[in-house]
Amino acid sequence: MWRYGLRLLIAAVAAEAPYDKIVTGRWWDWSVMNPIFGLLIALVVCALAV
């Protein structure tokens, strides 16, 4: 599970700049986050609940 979480983190960080550019037109925008971060947060919550 933790290796999957690490892969999600790497994918989320790699996809953040292109996602922000497409959604807001700027390369970095802290007002939006890509959905992969949501998946990572959900994984952490599920791991802590077990």
Side-chain angles (χ1 to χ4, degrees):
M1 182 181 317
W2 296 111
R3 286 188 303 187
Y4 177 61
L6 180 61
R7 286 189 301 243
L8 275 178
L9 178 63
I10 292 168
V13 170
E16 184 61 29
Y19 181 81
D20 286 347
K21 181 66 173 170
I22 291 169
V23 172
T24 66
R26 293 183 284 170
W27 283 106
W28 293 106
D29 188 357
W30 295 105
S31 64
V32 294
M33 289 288 170
N34 68 51
I36 303 174
F37 278 115
L39 293 173
L40 180 61
I41 292 169
L43 179 68
V44 170
V45 168
C46 287
L48 292 176
V50 171

